[in-house]
Amino acid sequence: MNQKILKLENLLRFHTICRQLHSLYQRRMLAQWRHVFSSAYLVWTAQLYPQPWQTHALIRTALSQHRLLVTKKEKKSQKSQLSSTKSKKEVEVWIGMTVEELARAMEKDIDCVYESLLNTAVDIDSLEAHSHLDEVWIKEVIKKSGMKLKWSKLKQDKVRENKDAVKRPQADPALLIPRSPVVTIMGHVDHGKTTLLDKLRKTQVAAMEAGGITQHIGAFLVSLPSGEKITFLDTPGHAAFSAMRARGAQVTDIIILVVAADDGVMKQTVESIQHAKDAQVPIVLAINKCDKAEADPEKVKKELLAYDVVCEDYGGDIQAVHVSALTGDNMMALAEATIALAEMLELKADPTGPVEGTVIESFTDKGRGPVTTAIIQRGTLRKGSILVAGKSWAKVRLMFDENDKVINEACPSMPVGIIGWRDFPSAGDEILEVESEPRAREVVHWRKYEQEQEKNKEDLELIEEKRKEHQEAHRKAREKYGTLHWKARSFIKYKIKKQQQPLKPKEKAGGDSNVLPIIIKGDVDGSVEAILNIMDTYDASHECELELVHSGVGDISENDVNLAETFHGVIYGFNVNAGNVIQQSAAKKGVKIKLHKIIYRLIEDLQEELSSRLPCIVEEHTIGEASILATFSITEGKKKVPVAGCRVQKGQLEKQKKFKLIRNGHVIWKGSLISLKHHKDDISVIKTGMDCGLSLDEEKIEFKVGDDIVCYEEKEVLAKTSWDPGF
């Protein structure tokens, strides 16, 4: 600005000097010709050419006005620049956002996005509100709209300090003392595991079990006449309880593998061997039912060789004891073999310091709340101890043994029932003792936080995968419609939208019949786990969807009934009760409650319920068959009707039933008969060996000699689900 003013001032000064010089020259000329001009002329000249002092005043005024104008213009330009920078709005965008999302982020109408993409490579006609935009086009829209771009980033939470509880370091060998062995009895279903344990415990556990099969892990402390103590875990042998057997193998020192001498190696026997190998636990072989006439212990030993289970008789290191759980033969020999192996293993534990253990089973008990059966592995558990297991914690209110006798403390290798849990810990969870209740809450909160973070990570991965799928589908759609005329594209989109119209209420009701929502309630956590594991094998969703609404431990409650009513589901209870009030409420609300005490009965019932949801299958039942021996036609009015001359070869032909025409093994017609005659008489039934003439309800069908006519009826048969749970 200063340079412009200086230039103007110099120009005006130069102009003033020129005017002054010109005025001086005029005065000289006037002095010479004074006699020619009058005074009036002089006055006029003075007015025509201003005096120097007047010229300076004019210049000052002009300069001040020019400075004012220039200053105002510069202020205006600065304000316009500031306003232009302030008006640029920052828009937060992300990769793969849709047209609608971009318009919402810009606070503009969707049409604004479409206008910005005009005269670009984007096909505007194919763009919908939910269409995904590429990164290039997002930038283009923001640029043309006069806004600033800002890519959004996921907010990273501050790294939280690990508050989890962990096991103590290895104990000083000087503090270790001998402990009792923990022995798990494993084997195939009905090979006599529980009966064998009965003889050792001198009880009748097997007689009290539903269906004669074990369906829980039982933990028992057995005292032998010699004074030795052994903790036994009795695992289920049924195929459904694989997870329980695996859990039993993980917490044990020795596995007693029970194999029936009359049955040999079976499926769950092989599975038990695999569990023992995975857990690196030694095996003692108990060949049971040796009192039977058809028993063959040597055959069992030879069969086990195929699975690397080599007995001492065959040069291996596995002890084999021939026993009879029913008569009690050689039971003490089995116990002595177990004790001998335990002595070789030199089992020791540290009875001091905070408790460490494992949850064997968890269940609910009226008046007691959540209860767990646990094996103590380190330390001594006492009343008032604060424990953490999984995402639950407890202040021990009461402890009891397998006979429900209250105990004051539990040492290593001892099975114990614990009361005082705030929530259900899962079977298999690690038990750790902490110093206080606030510390227990802190550990549980941390574990829940970790689980939530893991779930969020999985969800983000799934979202990213879905986003890529959508982008790929959008790209393919653009390629597909890119070469079409806009009218053709519009017509295709119209047809797609028509197909995607929402179902009517009646259609929805019909569609829901192929969904079976269920609620599972069990007596213990392991039983529910076993049922859910079986449900994971369900592979017939194309027939009927199996939807798990809720699962839990404990008796069936009013909440379960209300939930089943909401989802139109069925409640399955395993070893639980439903009171009269609950059953009446369920009957009033139209909710089915199905209670079972044997797991495979429950699964069979579930299969039947799934089958009832399937549409009936129409089956054809043949009534009679006839061969065409001749063909001819008859005239009825102005029409010629083809007629087949037939002989009944099998069964009978009934006019009212349905018929089909078979040629070279292929069905070429199905329908009804117009007429059925024997000679010239109309009849309704033609029996085996009789000749007849018949005509069909479709005139265009031509008969050929050698064709077969089959008379049949259709019957609706209940469909059966194709799901096979494996037992």
Side-chain angles (χ1 to χ4, degrees), residues 117 135 142 195-196 207 245 270 295 311 326 342 376 381 429 442 448 495 541 566 572 583 618 682 686 705:
L117 293 172
E135 185 180 338
I142 299 296
T195 309
L196 186 146
R245 286 190 292 276
V270 177
C311 301
L326 196 63
I376 305 303
L381 182 64
D429 282 348
E442 185 180 54
K448 287 179 179 177
K495 286 202 297 185
S541 297
T566 303
Y572 284 92
Q583 290 186 0
V618 178
D682 286 323
I686 297 288
V705 176

Side-chain angles (χ1 to χ4, degrees), residues 300-320:
V300 172
K301 293 177 185 178
K302 288 176 183 176
E303 287 178 349
L304 288 170
L305 290 173
Y307 305 100
D308 295 330
V309 177
V310 185
C311 301
E312 290 176 341
D313 298 350
Y314 291 89
D317 57 355
I318 292 176
Q319 301 177 78

Side-chain angles (χ1 to χ4, degrees), residues 243-270:
M244 281 193 188
R245 286 190 292 276
R247 193 159 56 244
Q250 293 295 330
V251 297
T252 193
D253 302 312
I254 299 167
I255 287 176
I256 294 180
L257 182 64
V258 180
V259 185
D262 61 335
D263 208 4
V265 176
M266 303 297 285
K267 186 178 178 181
Q268 271 67 60
T269 310
V270 177

